[in-house]
Amino acid sequence: MSKKFFLGVDVGSVSTNLVVIDDEDRLVFKKYLRTNGQPIVSLCKGLDNLTGFDKELEISGVGTTGSGRRLASVIVGADIIKNEITAHAVAAQKLMPQVNTIIEIGGQDSKLIILRDGIVYDFAMNTVCAAGTGSFLDRQAERLRIPIEDFGTYALQASAPVRIAGRCAVFAESDMIHKQQTGHGMAEIIAGLCEALARNFLNNLAKGKELKAPIVFQGGVAANIGMVAAFEKALAEKITVLKYYDVMGAYGAALLAKEKVLSSNQKTKFLGLNTSRQEYKTLSIECQDCSNCCEVLKILANGQEIACWGDKCGKWSGSNKKYTQESAS
Amino acid sequence: MKITFPHMGNVYMIAKCLLDEFQLDYVIPPFQSKKTLEIGTRYTPEGACLPLKITVGSLIEAAELGADTALMVGGAGPCRFGYYCRMQQEILNDIGCNMEIITLEAPNGDAWELLRRIKRVTKGMNIPKLIRVLTQITRLSIQIDEIEKICLRNRSYETVKGTTNRIYQEFRVQAFTTAGVKEFKKLIKETRSKLQKVSLNLDQKPLRIGIVGEIYGNIDPYTKMFLEQRLGEMGIYVHRYVTISDWIVEHIIKKELRLPRKKPYAAAARPYLNTMIGGHAQETVGHTVMYAEQDYDGVIQIYPLGCMPEIVAQGILPRVSVDLDIPVLTLIIDEMTGEAGYMTRVEAFIDLLQARRKITLDRSRAV
């Protein structure tokens, strides 16, 4: 029997990640792409990359996660759609079964997942503010004209990090400018920023929670060695960055897809790699039939409607039979 | 005089009955929508809590339909809600909306003032009738909550998902055209029998979640983004102690008449919070303890951003959660709350509860 492969897709605010695992949970393909506000385009690009990697690859199951998980699921045909918290936890546990704490910082959200005895015990996600997430670091790197990849190296060169107000992204930026103008060095400011963000994360998400070792750090921001150092300093614990740290969500989705397909013995709903060749269009309409003014979104593939959502009453998305019959006629 | 009142869950049914019995001219604002919230947000202070924004929006929508007098409840629970009536009046005055707010409360215990206000609304005073109608609508509020309770149970067991919801929505819409206590009783009876006929699969063992938190966000389906319906459709049994009838009976009638009140939550909350600190904080903590004692799988706390009593309760809940081994998810809502992020948290919480239940089951099997 030929080997089985499973695809995991994580469509996030900043990055779109695709991974393929084999039936021994090893990563055979990984692609980290910038979403650039165009999730469908980046997803199709990812699929094209996969075709380029091995077009004969037979995918036996697909899982999607991330804020764009529903959108991704209609494009690729997913066997399982899972929230990113569960996907991240599943992935971290696979690589480090004894893990107790997961710190995840992505493009626009940050999560803290607490595990005990191998199950998710508690979690927290940033609520009203995105200060301290990847997008903010990105913007600061751009402002300082430092490639984001080198951000961490700079931080580690600091002799004494300066204190930056990290509660709010706008104020943090003002504070950084102020510190620059008083003459502090770049390395000290960057190290200070990393510490401020780590502090902000712990104040916002870890309040009243016990962060037990082993602790893992994942998400795009974990690539930043300055942030890793800042968390180690703040928590006085060793922080582990696992090998697939930047695609953990997708890895988790692939693992979940594998479990689902193998346990249910069903054929995959995967639409094939050629699905990226179709021409996708989205159509948003504001329904005016009642005061809810729902923003309805339709997704078209080669002019054919393949999905629709956003309405509260089900009139467009077809969950309400009465309306489906009307629109069909 | 054309009367109106702001929406809060099914309060409109009770208020409508009351006004119909006295044959008064009134208008019910449309169910809250994005438009209601937009209007409310435009005219209220940014830092005000969500219920004020929604109620102001609701009143302005009613004014557009010709209402010139609004009924509000007051209250001396040390929380901002007690000032809503004054705030609403000032805001409406400021924007030149010609509407008078009559607050149905006895200021500083002045019962005569309350009677004078009622007299102004009902145009004349017929005390026996007033007492009779108030008793009837109180009973009605209990029956309406019973309907809600059946719905919560039905949703988690029904064989065809969405059946209960359809009946419930129909009920809410029909209530708009039902006049008077007698007609209402009939509608409730019909709805109840429809709900009882829904085919259920009672062999399932659904997850059980208790809802706690600030009263407006707890009772009003729009404010909590239809959380109960959504959980129900995911096959989860939802329970909530905070209801309209409980509020009317315990917080209005018994309080004003100085009758002894039932407070099981106060005893339950005692080890963590031994006094009333305003709003529903004591209820939130107490009910969480009660759910843990009844072996619920988890608790969801919902409150509008900036709700002080609930912030205090949120600080206490992690302790309760560890002591009594019950997972708690806190959802904070405001006008910016994106639905996607909200549902991500709920879905992850359900995954967590399911995994916990599986482990407990495996352990009990091993023993």
Side-chain angles (χ1 to χ4, degrees), chain B residues 14-197:
Chain B
I14 302 152
K16 184 181 184 312
C17 250
L18 177 75
L19 296 168
D20 277 329
E21 285 295 327
F22 283 95
Q23 291 173 331
L24 299 169
D25 189 18
Y26 66 90
V27 51
I28 308 176
F31 283 139
Q32 306 103 312
S33 63
K34 210 163 81 183
K35 193 179 147 219
T36 317
L37 190 53
E38 260 170 35
I39 301 173
T41 310
R42 196 179 313 148
Y43 298 117
T44 47
E46 152 78 22
C49 31
L50 189 65
L52 180 74
K53 295 177 184 178
I54 296 181
T55 49
V56 165
S58 225
L59 292 178
I60 295 175
E61 280 183 312
E64 283 165 6
L65 297 172
D68 54 23
T69 309
L71 299 181
M72 249 312 269
V73 282
C79 128
R80 289 190 269 193
F81 176 76
Y83 296 111
Y84 273 19
C85 47
R86 285 307 310 160
M87 283 297 290
Q88 288 162 339
Q89 184 68 75
E90 295 296 329
I91 291 167
L92 293 174
N93 289 349
D94 281 352
I95 61 173
C97 178
N98 195 11
M99 183 183 271
E100 189 197 357
I101 303 217
I102 297 180
T103 313
L104 299 178
E105 64 173 348
N108 297 323
D110 184 355
W112 290 111
E113 173 59 22
L114 175 63
L115 283 179
R116 268 194 295 278
R117 289 180 188 178
I118 294 175
K119 203 167 153 189
R120 271 192 58 208
V121 178
T122 56
K123 299 197 188 85
M125 188 52 96
N126 179 342
I127 297 214
K129 184 177 178 188
L130 187 67
I131 292 174
R132 196 190 72 227
V133 174
L134 285 180
T135 323
Q136 281 174 329
I137 63 160
T138 305
R139 255 189 239 130
L140 206 64
S141 74
I142 296 171
Q143 290 173 349
I144 293 170
D145 282 335
E146 271 166 16
I147 294 277
E148 259 200 85
K149 222 176 191 169
I150 302 176
C151 286
L152 289 174
R153 177 171 175 273
N154 265 10
R155 284 196 197 107
S156 54
Y157 288 105
E158 64 190 4
T159 26
V160 183
K161 292 284 163 220
T163 322
T164 304
N165 238 3
R166 210 153 34 241
I167 299 170
Y168 183 63
Q169 284 312 332
E170 230 168 76
F171 170 61
R172 292 197 82 197
V173 172
Q174 275 177 351
F176 267 87
T177 50
T178 308
V181 174
K182 217 170 143 193
E183 289 287 302
F184 241 99
K185 275 191 181 155
K186 222 174 95 193
L187 175 65
I188 289 176
K189 210 174 149 193
E190 282 167 13
T191 309
R192 196 189 296 131
S193 84
K194 268 192 238 169
L195 285 171
Q196 279 159 350
K197 281 190 199 116

Side-chain angles (χ1 to χ4, degrees), chain A residues 153-229:
Chain A
T153 329
Y154 270 90
L156 293 190
Q157 288 162 3
S159 48
V162 295
R163 195 170 172 90
I164 306 272
R167 187 172 303 274
C168 161
V170 178
F171 292 150
E173 184 170 322
S174 315
D175 209 23
M176 281 170 69
I177 294 172
H178 171 70
K179 293 278 154 49
Q180 276 178 303
Q181 286 167 346
T182 50
H184 289 282
M186 184 90 90
E188 281 70 29
I189 291 174
I190 293 177
L193 179 66
C194 290
E195 286 187 2
L197 298 189
R199 205 163 49 230
N200 191 33
F201 178 95
L202 296 173
N203 284 341
N204 268 334
L205 300 181
K207 246 179 299 173
K209 299 189 185 358
E210 190 192 359
L211 307 194
K212 268 198 204 164
I215 304 173
V216 302
F217 183 15
Q218 55 201 46
V221 175
N224 188 326
I225 45 176
M227 285 299 296
V228 179

Side-chain angles (χ1 to χ4, degrees), chain A residues 69 82-86 117 119-123 125-128 207-208 286 291-295 312, chain B residues 31-35 222 226 305 318 322 328-329 339 344-345 347-349 351-352 355-356 359 363:
Chain A
R69 57 187 180 274
K82 211 41 156 184
N83 63 79
E84 48 272 38
I85 296 166
T86 306
D117 308 325
I119 61 164
V120 176
Y121 175 83
D122 196 2
F123 64 86
M125 208 168 154
N126 61 332
T127 43
V128 280
K207 246 179 299 173
E286 194 178 75
S291 53
N292 275 322
C293 303
C294 294
E295 286 156 19
K312 286 197 169 64
Chain B
F31 283 139
Q32 306 103 312
S33 63
K34 210 163 81 183
K35 193 179 147 219
Y222 177 78
F226 304 95
L305 184 72
V322 171
V328 177
L329 172 73
E339 235 174 89
T344 297
R345 288 169 180 80
E347 279 173 26
F349 190 62
D351 284 345
L352 178 161
R356 277 176 66 111
I359 291 238
R363 271 194 203 133

